[in-house]
Structure formats: structure tokens, C-alpha cells
Amino acid sequence: MNTVSARRSIPLGLQFCFAVLLMALGALLLMYTMREKGYYMSGYDTWGHFFKSDLMYQSMKEGDYYPLFTNLWYNGLQPYRYWAPIPYYILAFLQGLARGDIITTYYYFVGFSFFVGGCGWLLWGLSSKRMVLCTFLGLMWFFFPDNMRVFFYEGNVPRMVAAIIIPYLTYFIWLFVQRDKKVAAFFITLLTSIVALTHLMISAMIGVATFIFMVFFVITNKKKLLKAFEVIVSMLLGYVIIGIWLVPALVGGLVAMNSDASASVMESLTYAIGSTLNPFTRINGVTDTYYYGIAIVFIAILGIILADKKVKAGYYTNLVILFCTTPLMVPILSKLPMSQLLWMMRFTTIAYAYFIWSVIDWKNLRRYFTLLLMVLLLVDCIPSFMLNKYYFQAKGNISDELQIAKDVTKQRVALMDLSILNAYPSWELCVGENSTQYTFGWAWQGAATASNIVMLNTALEKGNYEYLFDRCLELGNDTVIVIKELIKKANKTDLELIEAARKSDYYIYKETNEAYIFHMDTPETFGVITDYRGFGIGEYVDEVVFPYPTFIGASNHIEDYSIEELVEYETLYLSGFEYYDRTNAENMVLELANMGVRVVIDMSHIPIVEENKRMYFLGVVAQDIEFTDTYPTITYKGQEMYFSSFPEEYSTWNTKYIEGVSNILGTADYYGQELAFIGTNGNENIIFLGFNLFHYSTQTSDQGAYHILNDSFNAKLYELPERTLIPINITYGNNKIIIDSPVENVNTTLAYQDNFISDDNIISQNNLLYVTKKHTEIELIYPYKKQGLIVSAAGVGGTFLWMALIQIVDRKRNLKISVGDV
């Protein structure tokens, strides 16, 4: 009996069992190898994800199966509102099997990913009766190039869990459209829900990739249009079903990203074809670079040329997605609707799955040619077996510093490292003995204090250390760690850093080769009362707080504030502000000025008046002007001044001068014409400022320009707000927080959450929780619960109706075919 006949004589079910055994042995071998080699927690994201899974595990042990809040990261956050929870339930389950040991949990997760993900392709083998091919693909799935990079270099646990589910999702799509299994529509909906609860963005990308695949599938299978439509609807229903989680998740997070930021991310995730398809990159041990797989592309091209028309959709889909990962496509993709989902590099795993679909369906391929394709895939995946090349431990050389910080910190620590230490500090500081609260974390987009974090990092990059330490204090940090190498990168000196720390009462607790550890003597738990002298309104007010930390800013609309709120400040700065009604806004400014508030208006950034497309406010007009290399000779209050040249990238300075001021304070001699750039108009407390002077000051640090700004703001450069530390007591209960303070109106330094409920005792300022009474009880609720339940109920009901409709349509179609046959 020859080998082929022998294989055919083995029952398919037995082949399947043998294949499952192979998968299990493969998983055990992989786990054993990694443990023996000491490879654990590989990837720069891994420690952060395992913090969230450990939090879930510890909470579940206490009977809380969906923690609503933790104070350990980002001054407090809702841990699973924006980070889909299923990966952390899986890891928590595995941690339970590992008896709480996190390293063993990691090894279990590696084996789980290999085994469960690979077994998905065995189902294809059962249904397609190509068990040998599908067993090979199942064994290789974990080692496909980008899957390896995501798992071992990125350490992106949710994306790897999504990769585990994708074979099952595509299997049921295949069953539905190719085998007409109507029950498969239910599993398409269910698995879409599960993927969305694993990684919402990746699930949306899977939907987009499926749509691309179905376009080609319908083109090559003309009678499948209805089936393709039913697949897309079934997937969409999966999102509606999880409305209870999805509704609060969509309030903020990814959908709040603006188009410019999205385009920037898209561009950073693109690669030239020459790099993407260069196998020698991985062979030479460079495993952090995106590599699509030259064998996959080669087979896809062969398939398009040689395969039957009906099986080509997966090959076309792969080439389209590959082409979209190049920089050439960014200008086009960024203009499309929902462009924030089109980070095409992240489509790779689902593209792999549709490639495999076409390989499995290519049944007229001769056996020896199938073997050749398997060899090509195997050879392309060989570098994936070099685990030593992929292993990346993100601990760095900072463990001692983190332990020192944990030992000394009373309330909270801030590590200023611009994330160069990756996710490990987010684990080390917040888990285990002496764990402490942390102003940072990992994946800041889900934090209420996201904008605070961005500003701190910006201050560190630019060397604005006065602002940095002051805001660290506002965020409740009694310990601040600053990585030394970042001081040089900011073109600052250690002495400047230390002096800025001293101004906010921080002192050097410990200096190491890697970092300065600053500390402040504080109560065990403390809040802060702050007296800010200035307030900024508008898109560009973030610039003012770095040189003038005594300012604070928030909303862009002036009418979002009351006169009573704004009159508390000595100075109001308007730059890039907006209004709902110009007359109301002007009246507010006049009233504040009459009450003694200094109002400085950046005329380079005032709203355009829609009626005539001009820029004016309170009768003062902003007119366009362009300077080259530097300002003309400046005269300010009768004194001639010469400013530094413009930065090279701004050698052509497009700006505004002002007209209509009755009291001109400063002019520029422009070809014999005196152009006003600062002045007042009837009220000495309202100063109109042109020439984009503030932005110029931040770019050049010109002291003459800052002299004018100091006069205008009635403030000193790097002057700090007055802060008073208040000892408070915070008690955490079951979805409850109790705060006791000796005084009222205290910044608790906790991040304000929209699921905090209290009897008018709490307010949000600068994203932080302020208590207005001495005793405050806060209830933690599930956010948008009612709306989410309504959406989920509609999804469940809609799914049952949709399944019934599929049955009805299918019967009618079959009846029509039967009648036609008669």
C-alpha cells in the first residue's frame, strides 16, 4: 500500500485527533524551550498587559469580576473601559492555573496561543478534507512573520488573542459562503463580538479587510453577492450585541483622535516594499522590522496567475493590503472615512488568514506543487524559530532605581522617561510588595489625565523643568524620577534640573548612574490647594503654561466659563479661542476688564467673523503681514529692541499686525511704515498682541520678547503658582471612595472619572478630582449602563431576527432554484 492510499484509509476524525495531538506537542515543546532558555515577558508592551491581567486576577479573587476603578495608574482610571477585557480574563484564568505566578502564566499563554490558534485551522482541515495541509498551516500560524513580531517584539497581548480567534472567524465565514451553512452566521456574529471585546480597533480592521475580501470574492464568484452582504451584516450585529461595553468605550478613546494625529500614526506604520519583502532582514537577526513574508506574496502572485478564478479573492486581498502598507498610500487613506482605522500594517494577520483561505480552496493544485508551496512557507518562517533573535526583555537597567522609589514614596511616583524604559516600570512600581501609585502607566490614551501626561512629557522634552516639577506636585507625586540621558537631549544641564526641582521643594533623595530620584517630605496621603494667577482659553494656551506655570487652561470656548469663575484670576490669556456669539464674548471680556482682570488677546489667533471673513475683536482688526528671517526694528514703550532671527523652519514668518488700537504700545518699522503689534483700545486692562509674539518667544527664548510678555501678563518668567499640601484621608471600598479633608475645595490628586457619583461634592479641574466639602462619599457606577443595555438588547433581538431572515431568504432562493429545475 502506498503512502497516499494509507493516508486516505485513515478516517478523517482520526487524522483530526492526531493533528490535535501534534498541536499539543508543539505547544509543550515551545513552552519547554522558552522556559529552559529563560525567555519570559518578551516585548515592550508585555509587562503593561500583564499588570492589567494581574489586576483582574486579584480582583476576581476578591469577588469583583469587572473592576470599575484602580488608583494605581494615571492617578486613577477605569481599567477595562477602553481596554477590551477578554485578553485579561484569559490571562487571569491562566494565572489561576499558575497559582498566581506571573512568569508561569506567560509560558502558559505562549502555549495557549500556539495550540488554540493553530487548532482553528484544523477545523478547516475537517471540512475541506485537506487535513495534512491544514495541520501544517496550524503548526505554522504562530510563526507567520508578523504574528511573531507582534507576540515577541511588540508584546501586544490583545492582538495575539485576536490572532488566535481569526482562524475560527474566517472558518465560519467560509462555511457560510462556500458550504451554505446558515448556522455559521450566528458564529460569525458571536466571534465578531469576542474579537471586539479583545481589541476593538483590530476587530474593526478585520471588518474592513473582510469587506475588501468580499469585494474580490463577489467579483470572482458572481452568485455570492447576497452571501457576502449577509456576512457583513452578521459581523456588524456583533458590535451591537456588545453595546453594554461598546457604548462607554466609544465615549473618548480611538474615535476621539483627530485626523492629523491619525495620519501621523498611519505614516509611522508604513514601510517601503523593499523592506517589507526583504527576508534577509530577519535572517540577519533584525526582528523588530515589519516583514510581510516574501513566500506569501510569491504564492499569492502564482495563485492569481494559475489558480481557478473562484479561489483568487484571498490572493488579491493580500496584494492590496500589502500595497496599502507603503508610504505611497498614506495621502489617499488619510482622506477616507474612518481613516483612523486604516493603520494598514495591523491588517496583516487577517490578510494572512484570507491568504490561507485561498490556499486551502485551491484544490486543483497538484500534490507535489502543494508540497512545494508548503516548503516555501516553511523556509520563509525558519527565522521565526530563532527565538533568541526575537526575545526582547524590556526591563532595562532601572530596577534598582524603581525599588528605591517604591521604598521612599508615600503617595505617588512619576517616572520621567519618555517611555524609553517601555512597560516594565508600570508593572514593577504597581505590583507586589511596597507597590505604589503611579502618575504614568502604559497606553495613556485610556486615561482621564491623558492631556496632563502629554504636557509633562512635552515639558521633559523641551527642558521646561519648572513646569514639570510643579505639575508633578499638582498630580500628587512626592517622588519624581528623571532619566539622566534625557537632560542632555533637551540641551539642559543637571544643575538646571536640580534648581527647578528645588523651587517646588523637591530634593535629591538618590543619584545613580541612570537617574535622579527626587523626593519631597509630605503627609502619607495629601491633596493640594493651588492659587493660579492666570487662566488661558483657546487652542494655543498650552504654550503659555511652560514659561508661565502660574497659568492654567482648559476649554477653547470663552462662554464655557462664568464671570464668577474667571474673575478669580489676575490675568486671562486668549489664544485660538472660540465663541458661540461674538457680542456675548466681547461683553464678557469688557466686564472682566472693568472688574480688574488683565485680558491679553493673541490677535494672530482670533476667530474669523463669518459675515465678512475678517478677523477682529472689540473693534481691533488683525491684518496679514509676512516677515523674512527676523522682525524689523521693534519699538516698545519708546525703547528700540532687536530680536533674534526666526528659527530656520520659520524663516518666512506669516503673522498679523493690529489696527484700531487707541493706545499703541509697540510698533515695527516696516519699510518706513510703523506697524502696531501691541496696544490697548479704551481699556488699559485689555491688551491686544500681534506678530505671533508668544510663539516666537517659545521658539527662540528671546529675552526681549519675554520682557514684553512679562509686562503684558503682569507675571514673571517661570513663576510658580502657590501650592499648599493638605493631609487628607482616602478610603477605597466596594465601588466606593470616601474622602475626608480638614478643609474644603481641595484637589485630591485623583483623576476625575465620569463614573464618579456624589451629591454635588465633586468637580473636575485640569482633569483632577476636587472635593468641595470636608466629607465626600463617591459611588462608582458602570458608565452609560442604561444606554449600553438598550443597544445590547437591540443587538440580541436584531440577531435573532436576522438569523430568521437568513433562513427565509435561503428557503425562497432554494424554492426558486427548484422551480427553475422543474
Side-chain angles (χ1 to χ4, degrees):
M1 182 183 295
N2 61 34
T3 304
V4 173
S5 300
R7 181 169 53 80
R8 285 179 175 172
S9 67
I10 301 174
L12 194 62
L14 192 57
Q15 291 182 44
F16 177 79
C17 291
F18 181 71
V20 171
L21 181 60
L22 271 180
M23 293 299 306
L25 289 174
L28 289 172
L29 179 61
L30 181 61
M31 292 165 60
Y32 174 79
T33 301
M34 292 195 65
R35 186 159 190 162
E36 286 299 300
K37 296 289 187 181
Y39 300 154
Y40 67 96
M41 295 300 192
S42 179
Y44 53 81
D45 279 350
T46 309
W47 287 104
H49 290 299
F50 273 77
F51 165 82
K52 286 173 267 187
S53 69
D54 183 74
L55 176 67
M56 180 70 80
Y57 171 71
Q58 301 298 341
S59 298
M60 290 173 70
K61 286 202 306 182
E62 297 175 3
D64 185 356
Y65 293 91
Y66 190 86
L68 294 176
F69 179 80
T70 176
N71 65 349
L72 292 172
W73 276 10
Y74 297 113
N75 291 63
L77 82 164
Q78 301 171 61
Y80 308 106
R81 175 170 173 177
Y82 301 111
W83 298 314
I86 280 182
Y88 309 115
Y89 283 120
I90 292 172
L91 289 176
F93 171 74
L94 296 175
Q95 191 170 348
L97 295 180
R99 298 182 179 181
D101 183 75
I102 203 69
I103 305 302
T104 303
T105 303
Y106 178 77
Y107 294 136
Y108 284 174
F109 179 64
V110 171
F112 175 87
S113 301
F114 179 92
F115 177 77
V116 179
C119 283
W121 297 113
L122 304 187
L123 295 179
W124 287 76
L126 272 178
S127 297
S128 66
K129 299 181 180 178
R130 305 192 72 181
M131 187 57 72
V132 173
L133 173 63
C134 291
T135 300
F136 168 78
L137 292 169
L139 290 168
M140 288 295 101
W141 179 244
F142 185 88
F143 297 104
F144 268 48
D146 201 52
N147 289 350
M148 280 292 290
R149 186 188 62 81
V150 168
F151 197 115
F152 287 106
Y153 193 80
E154 286 191 7
N156 195 321
V157 170
R159 285 186 63 189
M160 202 58 211
V161 173
I164 294 169
I165 301 167
I166 282 172
Y168 298 92
L169 176 59
T170 51
Y171 170 70
F172 283 107
I173 295 174
W174 179 81
L175 277 184
F176 184 76
V177 300
Q178 293 286 59
R179 297 299 177 88
D180 201 26
K181 299 291 186 181
K182 291 175 282 297
V183 70
F186 171 77
F187 289 99
I188 293 170
T189 300
L190 177 63
L191 287 168
T192 300
S193 296
I194 293 173
V195 176
L197 288 171
T198 295
H199 194 306
L200 181 59
M201 187 178 186
I202 292 297
S203 74
M205 292 174 177
I206 290 172
V208 174
T210 301
F211 177 80
I212 295 171
F213 173 82
M214 285 300 166
V215 168
F216 289 115
F217 186 78
V218 169
I219 292 172
T220 55
N221 298 264
K222 295 191 182 298
K223 294 184 179 180
K224 298 288 189 176
L225 177 60
L226 180 60
K227 284 290 185 183
F229 173 75
E230 289 171 340
V231 166
I232 298 301
V233 173
S234 298
M235 293 182 77
L236 290 173
L237 283 168
Y239 293 98
V240 185
I241 285 175
I242 62 166
I244 184 62
W245 178 81
L246 187 61
V247 169
L250 290 180
V251 181
L254 178 67
V255 294
M257 181 179 291
N258 63 50
S259 58
D260 290 340
S262 180
S264 176
V265 174
M266 288 170 64
E267 188 170 1
S268 71
L269 296 177
T270 59
Y271 297 85
I273 286 287
S275 169
T276 301
L277 297 181
N278 182 1
F280 295 102
T281 303
R282 292 206 311 154
I283 291 171
N284 293 330
V286 181
T287 54
D288 60 329
T289 300
Y290 175 62
Y291 174 69
Y292 194 91
I294 195 168
I296 292 168
V297 174
F298 178 71
I299 294 169
I301 293 172
L302 282 181
I304 290 172
I305 297 171
L306 301 175
D308 183 80
K309 179 181 178 182
K310 292 185 177 181
V311 306
K312 294 182 178 181
Y315 300 138
Y316 285 123
T317 301
N318 267 259
L319 294 185
V320 167
I321 289 176
L322 171 64
F323 186 64
C324 288
T325 63
T326 64
L328 186 66
M329 291 298 295
V330 171
I332 298 171
L333 295 173
S334 62
K335 299 296 188 296
L336 295 177
M338 299 297 290
S339 62
Q340 59 265 57
L341 298 176
L342 302 180
W343 300 358
M344 300 306 296
M345 189 184 84
R346 291 191 167 191
F347 282 61
T348 305
T349 299
I350 183 62
Y352 287 161
Y354 284 124
F355 163 80
I356 290 174
W357 173 321
S358 287
V359 169
I360 293 173
D361 267 0
W362 193 357
K363 291 190 175 180
N364 63 355
L365 190 65
R366 293 184 181 274
R367 188 167 289 111
Y368 70 84
F369 202 73
T370 301
L371 181 61
L372 177 60
L373 297 188
M374 291 166 63
V375 170
L376 285 174
L377 283 173
L378 176 62
V379 170
D380 204 20
C381 286
I382 284 176
S384 297
F385 304 145
M386 299 186 297
L387 296 179
N388 61 314
K389 301 294 185 182
Y390 272 94
Y391 177 63
F392 169 62
Q393 180 51 254
K395 275 190 175 183
N397 300 317
I398 200 74
S399 295
D400 291 343
E401 287 82 355
L402 297 179
Q403 188 58 55
I404 293 168
K406 286 173 70 173
D407 291 341
V408 72
T409 299
K410 293 181 179 179
Q411 174 163 281
R412 189 172 295 114
V413 60
L415 169 62
M416 305 307 305
D417 70 333
L418 294 180
S419 298
I420 62 175
L421 299 175
N422 303 303
Y424 179 68
S426 302
W427 165 271
E428 177 59 31
L429 289 168
C430 304
V431 176
E433 192 174 346
N434 292 339
S435 63
T436 186
Q437 298 174 58
Y438 189 30
T439 275
F440 290 84
W442 200 247
W444 56 268
Q445 295 90 338
T449 54
S451 62
N452 306 66
I453 298 303
V454 170
M455 293 293 284
L456 278 180
N457 283 332
T458 303
L460 180 62
E461 283 183 302
K462 293 183 176 182
N464 296 123
Y465 298 137
E466 284 83 3
Y467 173 89
L468 186 150
F469 283 103
D470 177 73
R471 290 327 194 246
C472 280
L473 180 55
E474 178 188 41
L475 290 164
N477 294 284
D478 54 300
T479 304
V480 179
I481 309 172
V482 181
I483 303 301
K484 284 184 173 180
E485 68 179 84
L486 299 176
I487 305 171
K488 292 181 180 179
K489 288 183 178 180
N491 293 318
K492 296 291 183 177
T493 66
D494 292 18
L495 187 61
E496 287 175 299
L497 175 77
I498 295 166
E499 178 60 21
R502 186 195 60 77
K503 290 178 182 178
S504 289
D505 292 332
Y506 288 98
Y507 60 88
I508 298 176
Y509 180 82
K510 183 78 173 180
E511 179 185 355
T512 71
N513 292 333
E514 304 294 331
Y516 285 106
I517 302 171
F518 295 95
H519 184 62
M520 171 189 294
D521 296 323
T522 67
E524 286 292 326
T525 304
F526 65 91
V528 182
I529 292 180
T530 306
D531 180 20
Y532 290 105
R533 294 184 57 193
F535 193 82
I537 298 176
E539 182 179 355
Y540 303 106
V541 297
D542 282 350
E543 285 192 334
V544 77
V545 300
F546 292 129
Y548 297 100
T550 191
F551 275 72
I552 190 173
S555 170
N556 289 348
H557 283 83
I558 186 171
E559 292 135 304
D560 286 348
Y561 303 96
S562 66
I563 294 291
E564 290 73 20
E565 290 175 291
L566 297 179
V567 77
E568 296 295 322
Y569 300 94
E570 294 179 20
T571 304
L572 176 64
Y573 178 53
L574 305 180
S575 179
F577 70 102
E578 299 173 14
Y579 47 68
Y580 304 108
D581 181 87
R582 181 169 55 87
T583 302
N584 288 343
E586 289 177 335
N587 289 337
M588 282 186 68
V589 170
L590 286 170
E591 186 174 350
L592 287 166
N594 290 331
M595 297 172 73
V597 177
R598 173 75 60 88
V599 183
V600 181
I601 304 172
D602 177 8
M603 295 299 290
S604 300
H605 301 292
I606 63 172
I608 297 174
V609 179
E610 289 298 322
E611 291 86 347
N612 51 30
K613 304 301 179 184
R614 299 182 67 196
M615 295 175 66
Y616 55 87
F617 193 74
L618 287 170
V620 178
V621 182
Q623 300 283 20
D624 292 330
I625 189 68
E626 180 181 288
F627 300 122
T628 303
D629 295 331
T630 188
Y631 289 122
T633 302
I634 296 289
T635 301
Y636 175 68
K637 293 186 176 179
Q639 178 185 355
E640 281 193 358
M641 306 177 74
Y642 298 91
F643 288 174
S644 307
S645 298
F646 301 136
E648 186 174 344
E649 62 271 28
Y650 297 116
S651 59
T652 299
W653 192 262
N654 295 299
T655 186
K656 311 284 183 185
Y657 68 96
I658 58 176
E659 290 183 342
V661 289
S662 58
N663 180 22
I664 298 175
L665 298 175
T667 62
D669 183 1
Y670 187 68
Y671 297 107
Q673 182 182 2
E674 296 296 320
L675 301 180
F677 72 92
I678 185 170
T680 62
N681 191 31
N683 190 316
E684 298 304 306
N685 275 334
I686 304 176
I687 296 176
F688 300 90
L689 183 66
F691 282 9
N692 214 358
L693 192 65
F694 195 95
H695 183 61
Y696 167 82
S697 302
T698 62
Q699 296 299 309
T700 65
S701 300
D702 188 281
Q703 293 305 302
Y706 272 127
H707 169 69
I708 297 173
L709 293 174
N710 288 347
D711 275 1
S712 302
F713 291 142
N714 193 26
K716 297 177 181 178
L717 204 58
Y718 305 120
E719 179 182 7
L720 300 179
E722 294 182 15
R723 298 194 187 275
T724 305
L725 303 189
I726 305 297
I728 62 175
N729 184 64
I730 303 178
T731 304
Y732 298 94
N734 184 21
N735 293 331
K736 192 173 186 179
I737 302 174
I738 300 173
I739 302 171
D740 290 295
S741 168
V743 296
E744 299 176 342
N745 299 313
V746 175
N747 163 23
T748 65
T749 76
L750 289 177
Y752 184 91
Q753 309 292 325
D754 63 357
N755 69 334
F756 285 177
I757 302 298
S758 185
D759 297 329
D760 297 324
N761 284 14
I762 59 176
I763 59 173
S764 173
Q765 182 171 306
N766 206 20
N767 304 317
L768 299 173
L769 173 68
Y770 281 64
V771 290
T772 60
K773 303 289 179 62
K774 292 182 179 180
H775 179 78
T776 302
E777 297 188 8
I778 300 171
E779 179 187 1
L780 304 177
I781 65 168
Y782 190 97
Y784 302 95
K785 185 176 182 180
K786 181 178 178 180
Q787 298 91 323
L789 283 172
I790 292 171
V791 172
S792 286
V796 172
T799 299
F800 281 111
L801 289 174
W802 178 243
M803 300 303 152
L805 183 60
I806 288 175
Q807 297 279 353
I808 293 169
V809 170
D810 191 67
R811 286 198 199 100
K812 287 185 177 180
R813 183 174 58 222
N814 291 338
L815 181 61
K816 186 176 180 180
I817 293 172
S818 300
V819 171
D821 291 342
V822 173

